[in-house]
Amino acid sequence: MGLRKQVELTVPSDIIFYRTGREFVAWQRLDETGQSTNTAALGRDRSDAQETQPGSWVILEKSSSDEGRKLDAPDFDRIFVLGYDKAREEHYTAYRSPDLRGRLPMRVEGQSDHKYILINVIGDEGKTTEVRYKVVRDAKGTLKIEPPADSATKPRRRN
């Protein structure tokens, strides 16, 4: 028997229109003002002004399914990072990971130009490993994500 979703979370208005058939299970601002806004992963719903301001976000997505949630199912299966161009006043896709199997929580550590997104990835053997994605900006200020070089985040083969 599967588990059903227990809490309905409100996706911030800044990012709600970027859902593409996958459910947003956690999100966190990457801007300096967003250090304490990992509300989804904590199971709380906030609607403060900080989340309504346009900005850059890291979002964990899960494929939609009609079945109930299984005990050993991953919490998310893709990382989606939205950058924000202040001059153009528009979002852009900074990074979209290949499919992976991950567990909450997610953390963003560091300040300014030295930030990392830390997630827990479930390997082929079922072992969970913490993985670090480096958050960088190029010379034009465009947000880029440098995935780790290890095999934990490589695209999965489908049987």
PDB file of all heavy atoms in Angstrom, residues 126-156:
ATOM      1  N   GLY A 126      21.740   1.585  -3.563  1.00  0.00           N
ATOM      2  CA  GLY A 126      20.804   2.008  -2.526  1.00  0.00           C
ATOM      3  C   GLY A 126      21.435   2.887  -1.458  1.00  0.00           C
ATOM      4  O   GLY A 126      20.752   3.339  -0.549  1.00  0.00           O
ATOM      5  N   LYS A 127      22.731   3.120  -1.549  1.00  0.00           N
ATOM      6  CA  LYS A 127      23.432   3.955  -0.577  1.00  0.00           C
ATOM      7  C   LYS A 127      23.221   5.433  -0.908  1.00  0.00           C
ATOM      8  O   LYS A 127      23.318   5.842  -2.061  1.00  0.00           O
ATOM      9  CB  LYS A 127      24.927   3.631  -0.588  1.00  0.00           C
ATOM     10  CG  LYS A 127      25.725   4.421   0.413  1.00  0.00           C
ATOM     11  CD  LYS A 127      27.198   4.066   0.344  1.00  0.00           C
ATOM     12  CE  LYS A 127      27.980   4.949   1.301  1.00  0.00           C
ATOM     13  NZ  LYS A 127      29.423   4.794   1.127  1.00  0.00           N
ATOM     14  N   THR A 128      22.950   6.245   0.123  1.00  0.00           N
ATOM     15  CA  THR A 128      22.742   7.673  -0.062  1.00  0.00           C
ATOM     16  C   THR A 128      24.048   8.421   0.171  1.00  0.00           C
ATOM     17  O   THR A 128      24.738   8.191   1.155  1.00  0.00           O
ATOM     18  CB  THR A 128      21.662   8.193   0.918  1.00  0.00           C
ATOM     19  OG1 THR A 128      20.453   7.470   0.677  1.00  0.00           O
ATOM     20  CG2 THR A 128      21.403   9.669   0.728  1.00  0.00           C
ATOM     21  N   THR A 129      24.377   9.313  -0.760  1.00  0.00           N
ATOM     22  CA  THR A 129      25.601  10.097  -0.697  1.00  0.00           C
ATOM     23  C   THR A 129      25.270  11.573  -0.843  1.00  0.00           C
ATOM     24  O   THR A 129      24.458  11.941  -1.694  1.00  0.00           O
ATOM     25  CB  THR A 129      26.557   9.697  -1.853  1.00  0.00           C
ATOM     26  OG1 THR A 129      26.775   8.297  -1.810  1.00  0.00           O
ATOM     27  CG2 THR A 129      27.869  10.433  -1.768  1.00  0.00           C
ATOM     28  N   GLU A 130      25.902  12.426  -0.032  1.00  0.00           N
ATOM     29  CA  GLU A 130      25.719  13.865  -0.182  1.00  0.00           C
ATOM     30  C   GLU A 130      26.547  14.344  -1.370  1.00  0.00           C
ATOM     31  O   GLU A 130      27.714  14.015  -1.505  1.00  0.00           O
ATOM     32  CB  GLU A 130      26.142  14.612   1.071  1.00  0.00           C
ATOM     33  CG  GLU A 130      25.833  16.097   0.978  1.00  0.00           C
ATOM     34  CD  GLU A 130      26.106  16.825   2.272  1.00  0.00           C
ATOM     35  OE1 GLU A 130      27.296  17.115   2.545  1.00  0.00           O
ATOM     36  OE2 GLU A 130      25.133  17.094   3.003  1.00  0.00           O
ATOM     37  N   VAL A 131      25.914  15.116  -2.247  1.00  0.00           N
ATOM     38  CA  VAL A 131      26.541  15.594  -3.465  1.00  0.00           C
ATOM     39  C   VAL A 131      26.483  17.122  -3.478  1.00  0.00           C
ATOM     40  O   VAL A 131      25.475  17.714  -3.108  1.00  0.00           O
ATOM     41  CB  VAL A 131      25.822  15.007  -4.702  1.00  0.00           C
ATOM     42  CG1 VAL A 131      26.423  15.508  -5.985  1.00  0.00           C
ATOM     43  CG2 VAL A 131      25.843  13.491  -4.663  1.00  0.00           C
ATOM     44  N   ARG A 132      27.593  17.753  -3.928  1.00  0.00           N
ATOM     45  CA  ARG A 132      27.706  19.217  -3.959  1.00  0.00           C
ATOM     46  C   ARG A 132      27.717  19.735  -5.398  1.00  0.00           C
ATOM     47  O   ARG A 132      28.520  19.305  -6.202  1.00  0.00           O
ATOM     48  CB  ARG A 132      28.992  19.658  -3.271  1.00  0.00           C
ATOM     49  CG  ARG A 132      29.063  19.286  -1.822  1.00  0.00           C
ATOM     50  CD  ARG A 132      30.461  19.472  -1.255  1.00  0.00           C
ATOM     51  NE  ARG A 132      30.921  20.830  -1.246  1.00  0.00           N
ATOM     52  CZ  ARG A 132      30.800  21.670  -0.221  1.00  0.00           C
ATOM     53  NH1 ARG A 132      30.229  21.243   0.883  1.00  0.00           N
ATOM     54  NH2 ARG A 132      31.249  22.896  -0.287  1.00  0.00           N
ATOM     55  N   TYR A 133      26.825  20.673  -5.676  1.00  0.00           N
ATOM     56  CA  TYR A 133      26.786  21.378  -6.950  1.00  0.00           C
ATOM     57  C   TYR A 133      27.287  22.797  -6.691  1.00  0.00           C
ATOM     58  O   TYR A 133      26.777  23.475  -5.799  1.00  0.00           O
ATOM     59  CB  TYR A 133      25.355  21.449  -7.489  1.00  0.00           C
ATOM     60  CG  TYR A 133      24.811  20.125  -7.957  1.00  0.00           C
ATOM     61  CD1 TYR A 133      24.397  19.160  -7.045  1.00  0.00           C
ATOM     62  CD2 TYR A 133      24.703  19.844  -9.307  1.00  0.00           C
ATOM     63  CE1 TYR A 133      23.885  17.948  -7.475  1.00  0.00           C
ATOM     64  CE2 TYR A 133      24.192  18.629  -9.744  1.00  0.00           C
ATOM     65  CZ  TYR A 133      23.794  17.691  -8.810  1.00  0.00           C
ATOM     66  OH  TYR A 133      23.294  16.490  -9.240  1.00  0.00           O
ATOM     67  N   LYS A 134      28.243  23.238  -7.466  1.00  0.00           N
ATOM     68  CA  LYS A 134      28.805  24.574  -7.272  1.00  0.00           C
ATOM     69  C   LYS A 134      27.966  25.595  -8.032  1.00  0.00           C
ATOM     70  O   LYS A 134      27.623  25.401  -9.198  1.00  0.00           O
ATOM     71  CB  LYS A 134      30.257  24.613  -7.765  1.00  0.00           C
ATOM     72  CG  LYS A 134      30.956  25.913  -7.454  1.00  0.00           C
ATOM     73  CD  LYS A 134      32.424  25.834  -7.847  1.00  0.00           C
ATOM     74  CE  LYS A 134      33.134  27.119  -7.470  1.00  0.00           C
ATOM     75  NZ  LYS A 134      34.550  27.075  -7.855  1.00  0.00           N
ATOM     76  N   VAL A 135      27.634  26.700  -7.359  1.00  0.00           N
ATOM     77  CA  VAL A 135      26.869  27.784  -7.953  1.00  0.00           C
ATOM     78  C   VAL A 135      27.862  28.881  -8.330  1.00  0.00           C
ATOM     79  O   VAL A 135      28.586  29.381  -7.472  1.00  0.00           O
ATOM     80  CB  VAL A 135      25.828  28.341  -6.946  1.00  0.00           C
ATOM     81  CG1 VAL A 135      25.044  29.486  -7.556  1.00  0.00           C
ATOM     82  CG2 VAL A 135      24.903  27.229  -6.459  1.00  0.00           C
ATOM     83  N   VAL A 136      27.921  29.239  -9.617  1.00  0.00           N
ATOM     84  CA  VAL A 136      28.855  30.260 -10.085  1.00  0.00           C
ATOM     85  C   VAL A 136      28.136  31.249 -11.003  1.00  0.00           C
ATOM     86  O   VAL A 136      27.056  30.955 -11.509  1.00  0.00           O
ATOM     87  CB  VAL A 136      30.059  29.644 -10.845  1.00  0.00           C
ATOM     88  CG1 VAL A 136      30.890  28.762  -9.927  1.00  0.00           C
ATOM     89  CG2 VAL A 136      29.609  28.857 -12.049  1.00  0.00           C
ATOM     90  N   ARG A 137      28.756  32.393 -11.186  1.00  0.00           N
ATOM     91  CA  ARG A 137      28.266  33.380 -12.161  1.00  0.00           C
ATOM     92  C   ARG A 137      29.395  33.650 -13.137  1.00  0.00           C
ATOM     93  O   ARG A 137      30.535  33.802 -12.737  1.00  0.00           O
ATOM     94  CB  ARG A 137      27.838  34.665 -11.476  1.00  0.00           C
ATOM     95  CG  ARG A 137      26.573  34.470 -10.660  1.00  0.00           C
ATOM     96  CD  ARG A 137      25.886  35.792 -10.371  1.00  0.00           C
ATOM     97  NE  ARG A 137      24.702  35.573  -9.584  1.00  0.00           N
ATOM     98  CZ  ARG A 137      23.484  35.399 -10.088  1.00  0.00           C
ATOM     99  NH1 ARG A 137      23.301  35.436 -11.392  1.00  0.00           N
ATOM    100  NH2 ARG A 137      22.442  35.197  -9.316  1.00  0.00           N
ATOM    101  N   ASP A 138      29.054  33.700 -14.432  1.00  0.00           N
ATOM    102  CA  ASP A 138      30.085  33.980 -15.422  1.00  0.00           C
ATOM    103  C   ASP A 138      30.357  35.483 -15.473  1.00  0.00           C
ATOM    104  O   ASP A 138      29.789  36.257 -14.686  1.00  0.00           O
ATOM    105  CB  ASP A 138      29.708  33.396 -16.789  1.00  0.00           C
ATOM    106  CG  ASP A 138      28.493  34.065 -17.424  1.00  0.00           C
ATOM    107  OD1 ASP A 138      28.060  35.153 -16.964  1.00  0.00           O
ATOM    108  OD2 ASP A 138      27.972  33.492 -18.406  1.00  0.00           O
ATOM    109  N   ALA A 139      31.216  35.912 -16.387  1.00  0.00           N
ATOM    110  CA  ALA A 139      31.621  37.321 -16.489  1.00  0.00           C
ATOM    111  C   ALA A 139      30.436  38.254 -16.743  1.00  0.00           C
ATOM    112  O   ALA A 139      30.465  39.421 -16.359  1.00  0.00           O
ATOM    113  CB  ALA A 139      32.661  37.478 -17.590  1.00  0.00           C
ATOM    114  N   LYS A 140      29.377  37.750 -17.359  1.00  0.00           N
ATOM    115  CA  LYS A 140      28.181  38.563 -17.639  1.00  0.00           C
ATOM    116  C   LYS A 140      27.170  38.533 -16.499  1.00  0.00           C
ATOM    117  O   LYS A 140      26.118  39.135 -16.587  1.00  0.00           O
ATOM    118  CB  LYS A 140      27.509  38.092 -18.921  1.00  0.00           C
ATOM    119  CG  LYS A 140      28.368  38.280 -20.156  1.00  0.00           C
ATOM    120  CD  LYS A 140      27.637  37.767 -21.375  1.00  0.00           C
ATOM    121  CE  LYS A 140      28.493  37.933 -22.617  1.00  0.00           C
ATOM    122  NZ  LYS A 140      27.812  37.429 -23.812  1.00  0.00           N
ATOM    123  N   GLY A 141      27.483  37.759 -15.461  1.00  0.00           N
ATOM    124  CA  GLY A 141      26.567  37.648 -14.326  1.00  0.00           C
ATOM    125  C   GLY A 141      25.533  36.553 -14.460  1.00  0.00           C
ATOM    126  O   GLY A 141      24.635  36.436 -13.630  1.00  0.00           O
ATOM    127  N   THR A 142      25.649  35.734 -15.492  1.00  0.00           N
ATOM    128  CA  THR A 142      24.700  34.648 -15.715  1.00  0.00           C
ATOM    129  C   THR A 142      24.990  33.512 -14.746  1.00  0.00           C
ATOM    130  O   THR A 142      26.125  33.071 -14.612  1.00  0.00           O
ATOM    131  CB  THR A 142      24.794  34.140 -17.165  1.00  0.00           C
ATOM    132  OG1 THR A 142      24.568  35.237 -18.053  1.00  0.00           O
ATOM    133  CG2 THR A 142      23.777  33.045 -17.432  1.00  0.00           C
ATOM    134  N   LEU A 143      23.942  33.034 -14.084  1.00  0.00           N
ATOM    135  CA  LEU A 143      24.060  31.939 -13.127  1.00  0.00           C
ATOM    136  C   LEU A 143      24.364  30.629 -13.850  1.00  0.00           C
ATOM    137  O   LEU A 143      23.719  30.295 -14.849  1.00  0.00           O
ATOM    138  CB  LEU A 143      22.749  31.809 -12.350  1.00  0.00           C
ATOM    139  CG  LEU A 143      22.718  30.821 -11.207  1.00  0.00           C
ATOM    140  CD1 LEU A 143      23.577  31.318 -10.054  1.00  0.00           C
ATOM    141  CD2 LEU A 143      21.282  30.637 -10.734  1.00  0.00           C
ATOM    142  N   LYS A 144      25.339  29.904 -13.345  1.00  0.00           N
ATOM    143  CA  LYS A 144      25.714  28.589 -13.886  1.00  0.00           C
ATOM    144  C   LYS A 144      25.839  27.615 -12.720  1.00  0.00           C
ATOM    145  O   LYS A 144      26.204  28.006 -11.621  1.00  0.00           O
ATOM    146  CB  LYS A 144      27.069  28.655 -14.605  1.00  0.00           C
ATOM    147  CG  LYS A 144      27.165  29.682 -15.692  1.00  0.00           C
ATOM    148  CD  LYS A 144      26.556  29.191 -16.952  1.00  0.00           C
ATOM    149  CE  LYS A 144      26.788  30.213 -18.061  1.00  0.00           C
ATOM    150  NZ  LYS A 144      26.048  29.931 -19.241  1.00  0.00           N
ATOM    151  N   ILE A 145      25.568  26.358 -12.984  1.00  0.00           N
ATOM    152  CA  ILE A 145      25.706  25.310 -11.980  1.00  0.00           C
ATOM    153  C   ILE A 145      26.721  24.306 -12.490  1.00  0.00           C
ATOM    154  O   ILE A 145      26.615  23.813 -13.613  1.00  0.00           O
ATOM    155  CB  ILE A 145      24.357  24.603 -11.708  1.00  0.00           C
ATOM    156  CG1 ILE A 145      23.281  25.608 -11.305  1.00  0.00           C
ATOM    157  CG2 ILE A 145      24.524  23.495 -10.662  1.00  0.00           C
ATOM    158  CD1 ILE A 145      23.566  26.405 -10.061  1.00  0.00           C
ATOM    159  N   GLU A 146      27.713  24.010 -11.653  1.00  0.00           N
ATOM    160  CA  GLU A 146      28.726  23.014 -11.995  1.00  0.00           C
ATOM    161  C   GLU A 146      28.403  21.733 -11.222  1.00  0.00           C
ATOM    162  O   GLU A 146      28.603  21.669 -10.011  1.00  0.00           O
ATOM    163  CB  GLU A 146      30.118  23.512 -11.628  1.00  0.00           C
ATOM    164  CG  GLU A 146      30.552  24.718 -12.432  1.00  0.00           C
ATOM    165  CD  GLU A 146      31.922  25.237 -12.024  1.00  0.00           C
ATOM    166  OE1 GLU A 146      32.566  24.640 -11.128  1.00  0.00           O
ATOM    167  OE2 GLU A 146      32.338  26.256 -12.600  1.00  0.00           O
ATOM    168  N   PRO A 147      27.890  20.704 -11.941  1.00  0.00           N
ATOM    169  CA  PRO A 147      27.578  19.445 -11.254  1.00  0.00           C
ATOM    170  C   PRO A 147      28.860  18.732 -10.846  1.00  0.00           C
ATOM    171  O   PRO A 147      29.914  18.962 -11.436  1.00  0.00           O
ATOM    172  CB  PRO A 147      26.796  18.660 -12.295  1.00  0.00           C
ATOM    173  CG  PRO A 147      27.175  19.241 -13.601  1.00  0.00           C
ATOM    174  CD  PRO A 147      27.571  20.665 -13.361  1.00  0.00           C
ATOM    175  N   PRO A 148      28.775  17.873  -9.848  1.00  0.00           N
ATOM    176  CA  PRO A 148      29.951  17.099  -9.449  1.00  0.00           C
ATOM    177  C   PRO A 148      30.365  16.154 -10.573  1.00  0.00           C
ATOM    178  O   PRO A 148      29.549  15.758 -11.398  1.00  0.00           O
ATOM    179  CB  PRO A 148      29.495  16.339  -8.209  1.00  0.00           C
ATOM    180  CG  PRO A 148      28.011  16.346  -8.281  1.00  0.00           C
ATOM    181  CD  PRO A 148      27.604  17.552  -9.069  1.00  0.00           C
ATOM    182  N   ALA A 149      31.627  15.785 -10.576  1.00  0.00           N
ATOM    183  CA  ALA A 149      32.153  14.921 -11.636  1.00  0.00           C
ATOM    184  C   ALA A 149      31.924  13.437 -11.359  1.00  0.00           C
ATOM    185  O   ALA A 149      32.156  12.613 -12.224  1.00  0.00           O
ATOM    186  CB  ALA A 149      33.645  15.183 -11.805  1.00  0.00           C
ATOM    187  N   ASP A 150      31.441  13.096 -10.165  1.00  0.00           N
ATOM    188  CA  ASP A 150      31.304  11.673  -9.820  1.00  0.00           C
ATOM    189  C   ASP A 150      30.114  11.020 -10.505  1.00  0.00           C
ATOM    190  O   ASP A 150      29.270  11.669 -11.083  1.00  0.00           O
ATOM    191  CB  ASP A 150      31.245  11.473  -8.308  1.00  0.00           C
ATOM    192  CG  ASP A 150      29.996  12.068  -7.688  1.00  0.00           C
ATOM    193  OD1 ASP A 150      29.089  12.475  -8.420  1.00  0.00           O
ATOM    194  OD2 ASP A 150      29.925  12.111  -6.456  1.00  0.00           O
ATOM    195  N   SER A 151      30.034   9.715 -10.406  1.00  0.00           N
ATOM    196  CA  SER A 151      29.011   8.944 -11.105  1.00  0.00           C
ATOM    197  C   SER A 151      27.636   8.999 -10.446  1.00  0.00           C
ATOM    198  O   SER A 151      26.663   8.564 -11.032  1.00  0.00           O
ATOM    199  CB  SER A 151      29.453   7.490 -11.226  1.00  0.00           C
ATOM    200  OG  SER A 151      29.609   6.935  -9.931  1.00  0.00           O
ATOM    201  N   ALA A 152      27.523   9.548  -9.238  1.00  0.00           N
ATOM    202  CA  ALA A 152      26.230   9.565  -8.533  1.00  0.00           C
ATOM    203  C   ALA A 152      25.193  10.399  -9.255  1.00  0.00           C
ATOM    204  O   ALA A 152      24.001  10.212  -9.070  1.00  0.00           O
ATOM    205  CB  ALA A 152      26.415  10.094  -7.108  1.00  0.00           C
ATOM    206  N   THR A 153      25.630  11.343 -10.087  1.00  0.00           N
ATOM    207  CA  THR A 153      24.688  12.232 -10.746  1.00  0.00           C
ATOM    208  C   THR A 153      24.619  12.015 -12.244  1.00  0.00           C
ATOM    209  O   THR A 153      24.049  12.803 -12.964  1.00  0.00           O
ATOM    210  CB  THR A 153      25.050  13.689 -10.459  1.00  0.00           C
ATOM    211  OG1 THR A 153      26.378  13.914 -10.932  1.00  0.00           O
ATOM    212  CG2 THR A 153      24.943  14.015  -9.000  1.00  0.00           C
ATOM    213  N   LYS A 154      25.193  10.937 -12.741  1.00  0.00           N
ATOM    214  CA  LYS A 154      25.146  10.633 -14.175  1.00  0.00           C
ATOM    215  C   LYS A 154      23.738  10.169 -14.532  1.00  0.00           C
ATOM    216  O   LYS A 154      23.005   9.633 -13.706  1.00  0.00           O
ATOM    217  CB  LYS A 154      26.145   9.533 -14.533  1.00  0.00           C
ATOM    218  CG  LYS A 154      27.583   9.914 -14.245  1.00  0.00           C
ATOM    219  CD  LYS A 154      28.076  10.933 -15.212  1.00  0.00           C
ATOM    220  CE  LYS A 154      29.550  11.210 -14.996  1.00  0.00           C
ATOM    221  NZ  LYS A 154      29.898  12.551 -14.756  1.00  0.00           N
ATOM    222  N   PRO A 155      23.328  10.350 -15.788  1.00  0.00           N
ATOM    223  CA  PRO A 155      21.989   9.887 -16.194  1.00  0.00           C
ATOM    224  C   PRO A 155      21.818   8.392 -15.911  1.00  0.00           C
ATOM    225  O   PRO A 155      22.749   7.621 -16.062  1.00  0.00           O
ATOM    226  CB  PRO A 155      21.965  10.167 -17.703  1.00  0.00           C
ATOM    227  CG  PRO A 155      22.998  11.208 -17.919  1.00  0.00           C
ATOM    228  CD  PRO A 155      24.042  10.988 -16.867  1.00  0.00           C
ATOM    229  N   ARG A 156      20.630   8.023 -15.507  1.00  0.00           N
ATOM    230  CA  ARG A 156      20.327   6.629 -15.172  1.00  0.00           C
ATOM    231  C   ARG A 156      19.904   5.867 -16.424  1.00  0.00           C
ATOM    232  O   ARG A 156      19.184   6.373 -17.261  1.00  0.00           O
ATOM    233  CB  ARG A 156      19.177   6.579 -14.166  1.00  0.00           C
ATOM    234  CG  ARG A 156      19.512   7.308 -12.906  1.00  0.00           C
ATOM    235  CD  ARG A 156      19.417   6.329 -11.773  1.00  0.00           C
ATOM    236  NE  ARG A 156      19.920   6.955 -10.568  1.00  0.00           N
ATOM    237  CZ  ARG A 156      21.112   6.731 -10.085  1.00  0.00           C
ATOM    238  NH1 ARG A 156      21.930   5.936 -10.673  1.00  0.00           N
ATOM    239  NH2 ARG A 156      21.508   7.331  -8.978  1.00  0.00           N
TER     240      ARG A 156
END
